[in-house]
């Protein structure tokens, strides 16, 4: 509802709340109205709001783990950092996981059977940075679905190495606000998680002069800069996060309906992270934690340790800092329907 409509409605409500009979005519901005016309206007506004609610499609959001999501309004399918393969690499696996263990110097693997099962189709893919647990499955997904991919130049160069054609690729830096078929997206500059006890930094990038030959090794999937996205789809706005870090001034004023909040252990090394995140995003009505799990474990394995370390403390803080926010805890592969 725009500002003029809110002003008119407030005057109508004020007039109707009078205990004494109003003047026959009440001056209002740009028009005069009687008490009966006030009732008629209120009924019209209520009917319009009800009609909008009935025609607005539900939004379905499915968590793949790590920072990966499938978001759809029933017409357009948007993927964010989809990485269902969840292969074991670089340690942090599980003794009961009998799958192969990969070194960072190994060629990047893809569990094509699992990806085919979970992602049969897609229209767009939004990439928040280029690490393997974000981008590793995307060359295969983009090739098989023809989905358009939005990401940094580093991400684009990796996809070009795998033969993804230019017409599918949209290189961005941050600050762009693009309109696509069925949705729009604002690209928000970001920061990567403060890994290695805040010693992490990686300023490497790929550009047009970089030579890459597929298949890349796991270690060749470099960050290449970090982004968030404000996705406008199905009448809602969703602010995504691919890391446990952010730039406050870039989030201020976005006011998302839904926040995918980066909630893993590395956030604990940042000052007052949970409060600053909720405050800078204007205390979103719906908050869904993301990137909180051990993403090297296959689906079905217990995530109890990360639930206790990451989710429960965040939920408790959110109750105090943003009591009107509804925090939804995602379960791998179980759709969340926003009516």
């Amino acid at each position: 509802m725009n500002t003029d409509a809110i002003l008119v409605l407030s005057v109508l409500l004020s007039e109707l709340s009078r205990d004494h009979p109003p003047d026959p005519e009440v001056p209002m901005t740009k028009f005069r109205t009687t008490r009966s016309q006030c009732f008629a206007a209120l009924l019209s506004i209520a009917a319009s709001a009800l009609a909008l609610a009935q025609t607005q499609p539900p939004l379905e959001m499915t968590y793949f783990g790590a920072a990966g999501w499938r978001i759809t309004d029933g017409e357009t399918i948007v993927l964010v950092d989809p990485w269902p393969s969840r292969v074991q690499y670089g340690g942090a696996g599980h003794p009961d996981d009998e799958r192969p263990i990969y070194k960072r110097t190994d060629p990047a693997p893809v569990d094509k059977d699992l990806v085919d099962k979970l992602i049969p189709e897609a229209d767009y893919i939004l990439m928040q940075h280029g690490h393997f647990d974000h981008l590793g499955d995307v060359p295969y997904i983009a090739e098989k679905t023809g989905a358009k991919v939005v990401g940094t130049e580093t991400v684009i160069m990796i996809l070009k190495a795998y033969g993804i054609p230019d017409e599918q690729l949209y290189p961005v830096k941050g600050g762009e606000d693009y309109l696509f078929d069925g949705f729009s997206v604002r690209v928000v500059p970001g920061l990567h998680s403060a890994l290695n006890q805040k010693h992490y930094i990686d300023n490497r990038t790929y550009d047009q002069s970089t030579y890459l030959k597929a298949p890349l090794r796991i270690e060749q999937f470099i960050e290449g800069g970090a982004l968030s996205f404000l996705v406008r789809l199905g009448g809602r706005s969703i602010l995504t996060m691919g890391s446990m870090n952010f730039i406050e001034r870039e989030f201020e004023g976005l006011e998302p309906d839904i926040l995918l909040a980066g909630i893993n252990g590395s956030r604990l090394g940042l000052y007052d992270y949970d409060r600053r995140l909720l405050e800078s995003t204007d205390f979103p009505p719906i908050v869904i934690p993301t990137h909180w799990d051990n993403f090297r474990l296959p689906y079905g394995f217990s995530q109890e340790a990360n639930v206790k370390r990451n989710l429960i403390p965040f939920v408790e803080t959110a109750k105090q800092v943003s009591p009107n926010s509804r925090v939804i805890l995602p379960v791998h592969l179980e759709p969340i329907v926003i009516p």
Side-chain angles (χ1 to χ4, degrees):
M1 187 177 294
N2 63 32
T3 303
D4 289 340
I6 293 173
L7 175 61
V8 171
L9 182 57
S10 66
V11 175
L12 291 169
L13 290 171
S14 176
E15 176 60 25
L16 289 172
S17 66
R18 293 174 182 263
D19 292 330
H20 58 83
D23 295 334
E25 292 187 335
V26 179
M28 296 181 67
T29 305
K30 299 181 182 179
F31 69 96
R32 294 175 181 271
T33 185
T34 66
R35 191 175 181 84
S36 61
Q37 288 173 321
C38 288
F39 279 114
L42 282 172
L43 288 173
S44 177
I45 292 171
S48 297
L50 180 60
L52 176 62
Q54 290 175 335
T55 58
Q56 192 174 40
L59 199 67
E60 184 179 283
M61 306 176 64
T62 304
Y63 184 46
F64 291 127
W69 288 86
R70 177 185 185 269
I71 307 173
T72 181
D73 62 351
E75 297 290 336
T76 304
I77 299 173
V78 178
L79 305 180
V80 182
D81 292 14
W83 188 61
S85 287
R86 299 174 67 85
V87 300
Q88 293 193 91
Y89 75 96
H94 193 282
D96 294 336
D97 186 356
E98 299 178 351
R99 301 176 304 161
I101 299 175
Y102 296 92
K103 300 186 296 294
R104 295 182 185 273
T105 53
D106 287 331
V110 177
D111 188 338
K112 293 183 179 180
D113 291 339
L114 184 56
V115 172
D116 288 344
K117 178 182 177 181
L118 298 180
I119 305 178
E121 56 184 341
D123 298 308
Y124 298 90
I125 304 173
L126 307 180
M127 290 307 311
Q128 299 176 115
H129 62 266
H131 281 155
F132 179 63
D133 58 300
H134 296 251
L135 186 59
D137 287 343
V138 173
Y140 177 67
I141 296 170
E143 180 183 24
K144 85 186 191 81
T145 65
K148 298 175 174 63
V149 185
V150 180
T152 63
E153 188 175 22
T154 293
V155 165
I156 299 304
M157 294 309 299
I158 290 174
L159 293 174
K160 283 186 175 183
Y162 281 87
I164 306 303
D166 287 345
E167 56 265 26
Q168 285 182 238
L169 303 175
Y170 294 84
V172 293
K173 293 182 177 180
E176 298 89 348
D177 205 332
Y178 287 162
L179 176 64
F180 292 103
D181 292 335
F183 86 113
S184 66
V185 59
R186 177 171 172 175
V187 185
V188 183
L191 295 171
H192 192 273
S193 305
L195 302 178
N196 304 328
Q197 299 297 314
K198 298 184 284 293
H199 293 289
Y200 170 88
I201 190 164
D202 188 352
N203 292 321
R204 294 176 297 165
T205 59
Y206 297 148
D207 59 27
Q208 298 294 326
S209 65
T210 306
Y211 174 74
L212 297 170
K213 183 179 180 181
L216 272 63
R217 300 183 304 276
I218 292 175
E219 65 185 2
Q220 290 179 287
F221 284 76
I222 63 173
E223 176 199 326
L227 302 171
S228 287
F229 295 99
L230 183 71
V231 181
R232 308 179 192 93
L233 177 67
R236 290 86 164 178
S237 61
I238 307 105
L239 179 59
T240 75
M241 294 181 68
S243 305
M244 276 51 69
N245 213 341
F246 61 100
I247 303 172
E248 285 179 78
R249 65 177 179 273
E250 297 293 348
F251 279 5
E252 290 171 355
L254 297 181
E255 300 182 0
D257 299 312
I258 303 168
L259 170 64
L260 297 180
I263 303 298
N264 213 315
S266 58
R267 85 185 198 279
L268 302 177
L270 300 180
Y271 171 72
D272 210 4
Y273 176 95
D274 295 350
R275 181 198 59 79
R276 290 191 301 113
L277 175 59
L278 294 168
E279 190 173 89
S280 65
T281 52
D282 198 37
F283 310 107
I286 296 177
V287 180
I288 308 177
T290 189
H291 217 333
W292 58 267
D293 63 334
N294 183 345
F295 53 76
R296 294 177 179 85
L297 298 183
Y299 296 123
F301 274 52
S302 173
Q303 292 283 346
E304 182 179 0
N306 278 31
V307 168
K308 290 181 178 179
R309 183 184 69 164
N310 301 325
L311 292 186
I312 293 177
F314 176 76
V315 170
E316 293 302 317
T317 300
K319 286 180 181 178
Q320 299 175 10
V321 173
S322 185
N324 292 326
S325 295
R326 176 189 175 198
V327 180
I328 301 175
L329 301 183
V331 177
H332 293 146
L333 309 182
E334 292 190 9
I336 298 170
V337 178
I338 309 297

